[in-house]
Amino acid sequence: MAEKSTHDGRPYPPGAVIAGRAGANSEPPPFLSNAEIADRLASLAQLLSAQKENPYKVKAYQRAAAKLRNMSESLQELVQDDADLTQYAGIGDAIASAIREIVQTGTLRKLETLRVQATPAVASINAHPRLDPKRVQRIYKKLGISSVEELREKLDSGEIEKVLGLRMAQHVRQGLTETHAMLLYRADDLRTAVEEFLLSPCRAKRAEVVGKVRRRTEVIEELSFVIESDDFPAVVARLERYGGRTPLVSAGKDNAVFALSSGVLLRLQRADPKDWGLQMVACTGSKAHLRKLTAVTGSLRELKASFPTEQDFYKKFGLQYIEPELREGYDEVERAAKNVLPRLVTAEDIRGELHAHSTSSDGGDSIEDMAEAVRERGCEYIGISDHSQSLKIARGVSVEDLWAQIKYIDRLNSRLRGFRILKSSEVDILADGSLDYPDELLRELDYTVCSIHSRFGLDRQQQSERLLRAMDNRYFNILGHATGRLLLKRPGYEIDVDRVIGQARKNGCFFEINSSPDRLDLSAENARKAKAAGVLVAVNTDAHGTGELPLIRCGIDQARRAGLEKTAILNCLPWQKLQPLFRR
Ligand SMILES: [Zn+2]
Ligand SMILES: [Zn+2]
């Protein structure tokens, strides 16, 4: 892929964001943006956490701060109009009164008191509210340091990782870095808020999202819209008051860029109705896609004809309509010319769930409740894949308990009609490549999801061989979250993807696209490779409660980006067709 979907985003123009964030110690500014109010709540959360305050209370302030950063209406104006703040999601009475106090006085008494009481170590990190004070204090003590500068040095030299571990180093890195990237899943809320703002207060006649959000890329650095408006300068002026204040980074006659307080950029492109389709095409595809496309159509800027819709555009050049998720610059333009684009999978094609947890391990809902919720979503089966015995932190199921669970599910199934609960397990792949249960137990399961949850530090060759050995076990069916990545948190362990896919093909094993929004693992690129090798992929939620089942849509997005049709997906099959595939 030409465009990388990682968070190595470009830095903002100097001062763009920082200018909007006055230090809390200065005089109360005349007008507070939502971001500035959010900063104060985040600082309060950090200081409360240092005082070992109730973690739920700390979380509530952190969550409220994140929500406020996305909100379009100005909190200051709402307070001045005496509006009821608790009507907004995530704002309860305590937070509403904190917001009012901040607007009226520029700060919070509680915040100022805690600042005075804070130890020097805690005070030193108050400008970085995402750092956890307890962890930082441990690092300070262990490494004998006392300032953020030293903390940064020790991070860069690798000492934090060496002495206190990878997780700690990741926490510090995240806490010290300004985020300019966001999970797609989170961006969807922001997108709705901005879209409504464009259509209503800004009076755009039309606004449609384009760019990476429309292509459903898993991490985004920018939110882009094509809009129709008779008065573009008025739209720009109104947007500068989004969330109280939103800095304008650059503006031209027909385009503008803003720095949203959640860290990502907002880009607007104005289009006339007669060129709407053309602008949608130009603003949606990746650079690589547009290069291949313009090889067929010529430069988009020099096109003379008018294209009110995207369909008009593709038709004119004899191309099939290209779904946004495919516009990445692989072979989609060639295939569109030959009329052989894949018919991408949709949520309606899914017939079952193959990776779900229950209260038997670390899930929040019972087997029955998970099954009922999946059935209500129109599915025919659910596989209960709780963690295996070695994964103690996730309350892994003992050998005895799994035997009991197998019998229990048999009894449940005998009462069910038209729906089936599959006996499964998310079996740990141990460091030597063996599986975490004896074969005589694995044999009794309908299938397995096998995953790595430990020893991430093995090198690429060791990690790959661990997987190859695991796949030699005839009870290995689906590889769970193949690379272990957590988007914007950790890159995952390295594996030789081609070798692992080759082994899966040889041994009759499968992969999953894990739909959890911060995993989406396989990546679209790896899922493409699996498809090319003819290895089927499951789209799994890995839900740890019924509330997570709808997140399958994130996995479907990813499958579509990989060009998968329903025939490439395991759980688009009914159980009778699936069952033989799991017998090796
Ligand atoms: Zn797992
Ligand atoms: Zn799982």
Side-chain angles (χ1 to χ4, degrees), residues 15-22 36 245 247:
V17 173
I18 297 88
R21 293 193 186 164
E36 288 161 332
R245 188 189 310 122

Side-chain angles (χ1 to χ4, degrees), residues 345-355 374 378-383 422 447 478 510-513 515 536-542 552 555-556 559 564-575 577-578 581-582:
V345 62
T346 68
E348 288 71 44
D349 296 324
I350 297 291
R351 305 183 70 158
E353 169 61 52
L354 291 170
H355 183 170
V374 164
C379 286
E380 300 159 17
Y381 52 86
I382 182 175
L422 306 176
Y447 73 97
I478 301 172
F510 307 100
F511 291 90
E512 75 169 4
I513 289 177
S515 305
L536 299 192
V537 172
V539 178
N540 291 339
T541 62
D542 196 0
I552 186 111
I556 298 279
L564 300 190
E565 308 191 278
K566 68 176 180 183
T567 49
I569 293 174
L570 275 179
N571 48 326
C572 289
L573 290 169
W575 172 239
K577 295 229 168 111
L578 196 51
L581 299 182
F582 286 150

Side-chain angles (χ1 to χ4, degrees), residues 355-357 362 385 387 426 449 451 453 481 512 514 542-544:
H355 183 170
H357 295 264
D362 59 348
S385 307
H387 289 292
E426 181 173 9
V449 177
S451 309
H453 293 114
H481 42 74
E512 75 169 4
N514 190 298
D542 196 0
H544 283 66

Side-chain angles (χ1 to χ4, degrees), residues 142-175:
K142 195 104 192 176
L143 301 182
I145 57 174
S146 61
S147 72
V148 170
E149 291 68 39
E150 290 167 299
L151 188 65
R152 206 185 287 275
E153 259 171 48
K154 299 290 181 192
L155 176 71
D156 293 342
S157 70
E159 210 171 323
I160 295 180
E161 182 173 342
K162 213 170 84 205
V163 181
L164 292 119
L166 183 62
R167 278 184 117 112
M168 197 65 114
Q170 274 156 356
H171 172 71
V172 174
R173 186 166 297 113
Q174 265 184 289

